[in-house]
Amino acid sequence: MLTTRRQCFEASVFAALCLLLPVTAQATERRVIGLAADGKTRIEALVKDGYTGLGGEVWIQGLEGEDGNSQGVIAEFEKSPAVMVVIPIANPLKSTLKFPPSGLAYHDNTESWVLWNWLTLHAPERVRITIDARSSGSEMFRSLILSLPKQLHGSNGLVVSSLAATADIFGPAEAFKARLARTPRQLADELAQVYGHDFNQLTYLPGMALIGQIRLGATADVATLAKPYLTQGRDLLSRASSLTLAGHLVFAELARRTGDKRYTDLVKKAADLGFTPDGRMQESMPFHGEMSDSYFMAGPITAMAGRLTGQRKYFDMVARHFRFMDALVLRDDGLYRHSPLNNAAWGRANAFPALGITLALSEFPEDHPDRKYILDSYRALMARLKPFQDADGMWHEIIDNPGSYQELSATMMIATCMQRGIRRGWIDAKEYQPYVDRAWKATLIRVGSDGSLIDVAESTNKQPTYEDYLNRTAISGKDERGGGMALFFATEMAGLQ
């Protein structure tokens, strides 16, 4: 019922905006760039055909709410070939704006974060508002422009006249050229300077970066970090969790690369948690917590046990576990909820099944009777996720809510899966490569050479309400989870898997 009410509300808001923002004579697209503080009202932009996503001139209207000038701005926008984007009602709820934004991203000062991050990531060369220079809106505009990150934008020239405020932002698109020019190997090498240098916790968080380091040739260095876990008599599973199971993927990669049986034994012990002492399969792998993360946390390590030992029972267990999880979290529309507590299609709640299924399928024998089920699951999820990628190449914090923020970790994970499927021939390259390429471009823009990232959702246990998923804090800066997934994605794109 909540979802139905929400959909009805959003439909009514969208209909009202459609009346205010008529389809222009030129080819334009209406895009949702974020949600206002109520989590429902959409902030929209009109974008002209041919906009590349970077540079150009952008007009912003309505920093103090709908001010009656939106129609005139749209009419002028239609006649101005140089202007590619207009945001007619930037602050529909008349919230207090503060730049640079303070508090938790998209959770506090929501509209401020939406506008500030949108301008940061799209790097316009000129920004304009039509406003009375004596109003507070001109000061908001001034603070907005002058607060934009200098590492991504050049020096700012700001002019406020009696009727308009304009800002020339010198060279912002140029600042992105170096980022966009990086090859997958170059980005991987940059990330490897920051991530994958400790293994103090046996979880996937450092683990994905360590696998990236192995792919880059640092197998001996990672083996040194893993050496304490080989101590005879040490029980790595005495206080295990789902994170611990996924952390064993590092041992699986070391076993594959070195042939050291000690690593294989660790992988086997983790996968054996899915079996009773007399060898019978449990109902599922343990520690799933009814969360879709478990496709990734338990599936690949169990499949790797099968690959390393040649024992078919581990592949049987993977298929059994995936079917068990399907009954809990696979929605009727083909997307995944995070847990049965709530139907929200959270971003990583879909990215984790995607990555888990992809990595497990990579190990599955061609002649196993359940391989078709897993391949069908992979193809179905890729096809279902495809239409939810936005024009910037991103998937969102809630997959099917375009107003939720663009979330980097889910984007990289999903694109990794598509790239693997293209290389393995599981999906058609002509159909899916454009989605991977757009996600790669978006990643290059959002990942700095110093390992900094933009908009990675915070750690998330299962949540009781839709709003809880919508309001997950977006982390910017260095982040172990996001950095590891970025390194994994870059090495996948470089063909180092």
Side-chain angles (χ1 to χ4, degrees):
M1 183 62 71
L2 176 61
T3 301
T4 301
R5 289 197 299 268
R6 179 183 305 282
Q7 290 170 340
C8 291
F9 178 87
E10 291 180 350
S12 64
V13 171
F14 184 72
L17 283 170
C18 287
L19 293 175
L20 178 62
L21 311 177
V23 177
T24 62
Q26 298 182 19
T28 63
E29 178 186 352
R30 186 180 288 110
R31 296 182 187 172
V32 182
I33 67 170
L35 297 177
D38 62 359
K40 302 172 184 177
T41 304
R42 296 178 173 186
I43 302 172
E44 295 191 327
L46 291 179
V47 178
K48 285 182 180 173
D49 188 34
Y51 177 59
T52 65
L54 289 174
E57 184 168 346
V58 172
W59 290 354
I60 298 175
Q61 191 66 31
L63 284 175
E64 296 179 290
E66 213 309 78
D67 55 13
N69 293 322
S70 295
Q71 290 286 9
V73 169
I74 292 171
E76 191 176 353
F77 165 73
E78 291 178 350
K79 300 172 185 176
S80 303
V83 184
M84 300 304 292
V85 182
V86 61
I87 303 172
I89 312 174
N91 186 11
L93 299 184
K94 301 183 180 181
S95 300
T96 299
L97 301 180
K98 181 179 180 181
F99 303 107
S102 59
L104 304 176
Y106 308 107
H107 188 279
D108 306 315
N109 299 298
T110 306
E111 292 88 347
S112 300
W113 279 107
V114 169
L115 295 171
W116 194 75
N117 263 2
W118 191 92
L119 287 170
T120 296
L121 292 168
H122 291 80
E125 293 160 355
R126 183 178 175 86
V127 181
R128 190 194 87 166
I129 63 169
T130 302
I131 198 166
D132 186 335
R134 295 166 296 181
S135 74
S136 60
S138 64
E139 286 306 312
M140 280 190 283
F141 181 74
R142 186 188 301 273
S143 65
L144 169 59
I145 296 301
L146 296 180
S147 71
L148 293 174
K150 298 301 185 293
Q151 72 270 24
L152 298 181
H153 296 80
S155 58
N156 303 318
L158 183 66
V159 177
V160 180
S161 66
S162 59
L163 294 176
T166 62
D168 291 309
I169 310 175
F170 302 113
E174 292 293 322
F176 278 110
K177 284 188 176 180
R179 287 191 175 200
L180 289 169
R182 292 175 295 180
T183 66
R185 180 60 191 250
Q186 286 172 330
L187 179 60
D189 286 339
E190 289 177 353
L191 290 166
Q193 298 302 310
V194 181
Y195 300 104
H197 295 281
D198 74 78
F199 201 13
N200 297 328
Q201 292 185 325
L202 182 52
T203 74
Y204 84 92
L205 294 172
M208 299 307 288
L210 290 168
I211 292 171
Q213 291 280 9
I214 292 171
R215 288 176 166 186
L216 290 170
T219 301
D221 293 335
V222 176
T224 298
L225 294 174
K227 187 175 180 180
Y229 295 110
L230 297 177
T231 302
Q232 189 171 7
R234 184 174 179 181
D235 185 0
L236 304 185
L237 301 172
S238 61
R239 302 177 64 182
S241 68
S242 63
L243 304 180
T244 308
L245 293 183
H248 277 65
L249 288 171
V250 177
F251 304 140
E253 286 298 322
L254 288 171
R256 192 202 303 270
R257 307 266 177 162
T258 68
D260 191 328
K261 184 178 179 297
R262 292 177 298 172
Y263 296 124
T264 299
D265 289 342
L266 293 178
V267 172
K268 183 176 180 297
K269 286 179 182 178
D272 281 343
L273 293 177
F275 298 84
T276 64
D278 61 358
R280 291 179 291 109
M281 283 194 294
Q282 305 272 16
E283 183 180 30
S284 70
M285 289 296 291
F287 316 125
H288 57 76
E290 296 187 330
M291 291 187 290
S292 64
D293 311 42
S294 186
Y295 286 88
F296 166 74
M297 303 297 177
I301 193 62
T302 308
M304 281 298 298
R307 173 64 68 180
L308 292 168
T309 66
Q311 295 183 42
R312 202 176 190 88
K313 69 174 186 176
Y314 294 110
F315 298 111
D316 296 341
M317 185 68 234
V318 172
R320 184 182 182 91
H321 181 68
F322 283 178
R323 287 191 172 99
F324 175 86
M325 294 306 304
D326 285 352
L328 289 173
V329 296
L330 181 58
R331 299 192 333 189
D332 291 342
D333 65 354
L335 293 176
Y336 290 78
R337 62 178 69 85
H338 193 202
S339 84
L341 284 182
N342 189 270
N343 210 39
W346 179 51
R348 282 203 301 268
N350 286 267
F352 274 130
L355 192 56
I357 292 168
T358 298
L359 296 180
L361 179 60
S362 299
E363 309 301 333
F364 244 73
E366 293 284 342
D367 64 348
H368 194 284
D370 282 317
R371 189 178 188 278
K372 182 180 184 303
Y373 153 66
I374 298 197
L375 179 59
D376 288 346
S377 297
Y378 167 84
R379 287 173 172 162
L381 182 53
M382 295 302 102
R384 192 69 188 97
L385 289 169
K386 188 174 60 171
F388 292 108
Q389 187 187 54
D390 70 16
D392 292 329
M394 296 291 291
W395 280 274
H396 286 243
E397 170 64 3
I398 295 180
I399 292 290
D400 53 355
N401 185 339
S404 63
Y405 65 82
Q406 299 172 323
E407 204 281 318
L408 183 58
S409 66
T411 295
M412 296 187 296
M413 293 162 73
I414 293 167
T416 295
C417 298
M418 289 184 175
Q419 185 64 31
R420 174 72 64 93
I422 290 167
R423 280 212 171 95
R424 296 291 181 99
W426 302 335
I427 51 178
D428 181 63
K430 290 182 179 179
E431 182 179 357
Y432 283 90
Q433 194 66 54
Y435 293 87
V436 176
D437 293 344
R438 284 192 292 269
W440 176 246
K441 177 182 176 182
T443 297
L444 288 172
I445 288 172
R446 289 162 175 80
V447 178
S449 59
D450 62 351
S452 61
L453 311 149
I454 297 176
D455 288 350
V456 176
E458 66 179 310
S459 179
T460 300
N461 208 326
K462 55 185 175 183
Q463 303 294 311
T465 71
Y466 186 96
E467 286 73 20
D468 288 326
Y469 287 105
L470 189 64
N471 293 326
R472 303 309 295 166
T473 297
I475 298 169
S476 291
K478 293 182 176 67
D479 178 74
E480 189 176 40
R481 176 186 290 100
M485 290 301 180
L487 182 51
F488 195 75
F489 182 28
T491 53
E492 190 78 29
M493 291 294 291
L496 300 175
Q497 72 280 6

